[in-house]
Amino acid sequence: FGKTMKAVADSINSMDRIFVEKNPDNCYSLNLIKTLLTTKAPIKEVKALFDNLNLSLQNSSQGQLLKVEIEKELTKVITKEAVSVGKTAPEFKAKNPDGEFISLRPVKGKYTLIDFWAAWCGPCRKENPNLLEAYNNFNSKGFNIISISLDGRRGKTEGKKAWIDAIDKDGIGAWYHISNLDYFKCEIAKTYGVTSIPSSFLIDENGKIIAKNLRGKALQNKLKQLFE
């Protein structure tokens, strides 16, 4: 049923594209582009269709609102592509709990896990024992972790206390911890396209992303392949 519905949706989207391509000056084309956007059609194709519209349609109030939506979705896609497997992890820096700036380049090991988490995130806290086990098993071989906290949703003061308390309570202070205490407004999270946590990126010594979102035994197994 799912395959049949997808085929139907693809067929409808195809007809919508054809209509928009042939009718760049028809106001109904704006509605069809909006539909393509909400049905998750390839965003670059949607943008191309919009850019091909008559300028009067693009500059209309409806057209300008649609343009903003398209640009937002396009930015998300470009960001995700920039941190996909095979790409080089973007550099960053932020303060550790002692107020010292820590950046990615100096702390990289043979393999490094960039871990996004927060004290308030239940799944993150449940994952911390797995990270601790992986760190204890492979740190001596060159594995490192840098954890980026997205605490601070109720302010930096409350966020910093919760962050430090969680590090202590979970016993994960052995590796690097940084945070801007800006919740999901964190610029590092935006750069990495992180919209939910836990989220992680495994990079090699050259900073290339080789895996994403390895949790539980999946991380242990990957590290065994790399180190043993």
Side-chain angles (χ1 to χ4, degrees), residues 216-227:
K217 293 300 179 183
L219 176 60
Q220 294 269 0
N221 294 337
K222 182 65 175 179
L223 294 173
K224 286 178 182 177
Q225 292 175 9
L226 296 171
F227 284 110

Side-chain angles (χ1 to χ4, degrees), residues 35-51:
T35 299
L36 289 168
L37 188 63
T38 56
T39 56
K40 303 299 180 182
I43 189 61
K44 293 180 181 179
E45 294 181 14
V46 175
K47 185 177 187 304
L49 289 171
F50 180 85
D51 290 344

Side-chain angles (χ1 to χ4, degrees), residues 155-171:
K156 293 183 183 292
T157 300
E158 180 273 344
K160 185 172 183 178
K161 182 180 185 305
W163 174 38
I164 293 173
D165 287 348
I167 293 172
D168 290 341
K169 185 173 181 178
D170 292 359

Side-chain angles (χ1 to χ4, degrees), residues 8-198:
V8 171
D10 289 345
S11 178
I12 293 172
N13 284 350
S14 178
M15 289 186 288
D16 289 350
R17 289 189 186 95
I18 292 171
F19 182 93
V20 174
E21 288 171 355
K22 292 184 176 181
N23 299 274
D25 57 350
N26 190 316
C27 62
Y28 187 59
S29 291
L30 286 173
N31 293 333
L32 293 180
I33 291 176
K34 173 73 172 180
T35 299
L36 289 168
L37 188 63
T38 56
T39 56
K40 303 299 180 182
I43 189 61
K44 293 180 181 179
E45 294 181 14
V46 175
K47 185 177 187 304
L49 289 171
F50 180 85
D51 290 344
N52 191 51
L53 291 179
N54 184 292
L55 285 177
S56 63
L57 285 181
Q58 291 187 36
N59 294 327
S60 66
S61 58
Q62 184 181 353
Q64 287 299 297
L65 290 173
L66 185 56
K67 182 179 180 180
V68 170
E69 291 183 50
I70 291 171
E71 292 296 337
K72 284 182 179 178
E73 291 303 314
L74 186 61
T75 298
K76 290 179 184 178
V77 169
I78 291 173
T79 299
K80 287 184 178 180
E81 289 177 348
V83 290
S84 58
V85 173
K87 299 292 186 178
T88 298
E91 290 290 336
F92 56 79
K93 71 175 181 179
K95 290 182 179 180
N96 67 9
D98 294 325
E100 302 168 332
F101 277 106
I102 302 293
S103 55
L104 176 61
R105 186 175 300 171
V107 305
K108 284 188 298 194
K110 290 182 180 178
Y111 296 98
T112 304
L113 188 73
I114 302 170
D115 169 51
F116 289 87
W117 76 298
W120 51 262
C121 170
C124 302
R125 303 293 295 274
K126 289 180 180 179
E127 184 63 21
N128 279 340
N130 295 323
L131 296 185
L132 183 60
E133 183 180 359
Y135 184 84
N136 289 338
N137 289 340
F138 295 100
N139 176 249
S140 62
K141 298 180 179 181
F143 173 61
N144 212 347
I145 301 175
I146 180 164
S147 287
I148 302 164
S149 162
L150 300 189
D151 283 294
R153 60 179 175 175
R154 294 192 180 94
K156 293 183 183 292
T157 300
E158 180 273 344
K160 185 172 183 178
K161 182 180 185 305
W163 174 38
I164 293 173
D165 287 348
I167 293 172
D168 290 341
K169 185 173 181 178
D170 292 359
I172 55 173
W175 59 79
Y176 295 96
H177 289 270
I178 61 173
S179 181
N180 290 317
L181 298 170
D182 285 331
Y183 192 45
F184 278 98
K185 293 180 181 178
C186 171
E187 288 301 321
I188 305 173
K190 290 180 181 179
T191 299
Y192 277 78
V194 173
T195 57
S196 63
I197 51 177

